[in-house]
Amino acid sequence: MQHFWVVGTDTDVGKTIVTTMLMCHLQKQGLKVSPYKPVQTGEVYENGRGYYHDTAMYEKYSLQKLQQEHLNSYSFREAASPHFAAQLEGQQIDVNELLLRIQLLQASYDVVICEGAGGLFVPFTAPHGMTLLDVIVSSKLPVVLVTRTSLGTINHTLLTIEALRSREVDVLGIVFNGNTGSRMEQDNIQTILQYHPLPYAIILKLQNVSQLMDYAMTHTTLFERLFNYETSIN
């Protein structure tokens, strides 16, 4: 098994849900797995306490006890691009620190799942302009790409794959998230796969996160295409 990134074509495409699903899927196979969100933004306040959605979801659904200090390096209150959210708090993201943390985590776990922030060209630093894609390239890890099935996904997905391949980043597969089964969505999926016949998984549009996690745990073949299994998706 190898370590990898989960990246998206945009923000709010389901990277955290897919990261959590993959974490549980691999943990269920007996592997020691840790998700890692290098940078997260947008603190949520609820019932008088603040938390961050991404790392909270990892901890809620993990089948193994997670070490909090291994889940994240930078958390910023403002829901904004990482470089700007950091500026608002008088900080700057140290990309070398992120890469070192990824290396250290790889030595401690069977699988480390690094979750990106936004799309590939989201800047982590300014004015030098180091992007998420630069961090991915430097990490030398492959990616699982999460995308929508709705209108606009063909352009966004093909552009993202072209950007990854132009930087020689290996794409393990695509997760199509939020499928409702419409004819347009099915054509969107097939059109993308005609351009790039990659391994893929399709996640149905369900009502809430708990339903999604139940779906992932009961459909054991959901992600097998992404990891060189022979069984097809149910």
Side-chain angles (χ1 to χ4, degrees):
M1 197 61 223
Q2 60 185 324
H3 313 284
F4 59 92
W5 286 86
V6 171
V7 301
T9 53
D10 200 352
T11 192
D12 292 331
V13 297
K15 294 185 296 295
T16 302
I17 287 172
V18 171
T19 298
T20 305
M21 286 180 163
L22 286 168
M23 173 190 71
C24 293
H25 179 77
L26 295 169
Q27 287 175 342
K28 195 175 181 181
Q29 297 177 43
L31 296 168
K32 186 180 179 184
V33 183
S34 180
Y36 173 57
K37 180 85 174 185
V39 183
Q40 60 183 350
T41 65
E43 189 173 13
V44 179
Y45 286 93
E46 197 172 77
N47 300 322
R49 60 179 286 268
Y51 67 93
Y52 288 86
H53 173 265
D54 297 357
T55 49
M57 185 176 291
Y58 303 158
E59 292 184 283
K60 181 175 181 178
Y61 292 102
S62 177
L63 305 179
Q64 302 167 356
K65 182 172 177 57
L66 300 177
Q67 294 192 47
Q68 215 169 41
E69 65 272 18
H70 291 174
L71 303 182
N72 169 250
S73 290
Y74 292 95
S75 294
F76 302 112
R77 291 186 295 273
E78 185 72 18
S81 173
H83 79 290
F84 182 64
Q87 285 178 6
L88 291 176
E89 297 187 29
Q91 297 189 50
Q92 185 166 346
I93 296 167
D94 185 341
V95 169
N96 290 327
E97 178 186 330
L98 302 181
L99 293 170
L100 178 60
R101 175 66 64 87
I102 291 171
Q103 288 182 345
L104 293 173
L105 290 174
Q106 289 181 75
S108 300
Y109 293 91
D110 298 319
V111 183
V112 178
I113 308 174
C114 304
E115 183 188 343
L120 291 181
F121 289 99
V122 165
F124 274 13
T125 63
H128 305 295
M130 290 288 288
T131 66
L132 170 62
L133 181 55
D134 293 319
V135 177
I136 293 169
V137 170
S138 297
S139 75
K140 297 181 170 60
L141 295 180
V143 307
V144 170
L145 175 62
V146 183
T147 189
R148 298 181 177 90
T149 56
S150 54
L151 183 65
T153 191
I154 295 174
N155 179 64
H156 293 164
T157 306
L158 296 184
L159 283 173
T160 301
I161 294 172
E162 289 295 329
L164 289 165
R165 290 193 163 173
S166 72
R167 300 286 292 274
E168 299 183 346
V169 176
D170 185 26
V171 182
L172 294 175
I174 308 172
V175 178
F176 296 96
N177 184 38
N179 182 45
T180 67
S182 72
R183 289 183 62 189
M184 180 190 71
E185 288 173 296
Q186 299 316 300
D187 186 74
N188 286 343
I189 292 169
Q190 291 307 313
T191 300
I192 290 167
L193 294 173
Q194 285 171 8
Y195 280 97
H196 296 287
L198 291 161
Y200 68 95
I202 300 172
I203 299 176
L204 301 179
K205 185 175 183 179
L206 300 175
Q207 296 302 311
N208 55 54
V209 174
S210 293
Q211 281 185 308
L212 282 167
M213 296 310 302
D214 290 342
Y215 180 76
M217 296 306 292
T218 55
H219 290 66
T220 56
T221 59
L222 181 63
F223 293 108
E224 288 179 353
R225 287 183 189 269
L226 303 179
F227 300 109
N228 301 315
Y229 288 80
E230 294 181 356
T231 309
S232 297
I233 294 175
N234 286 335

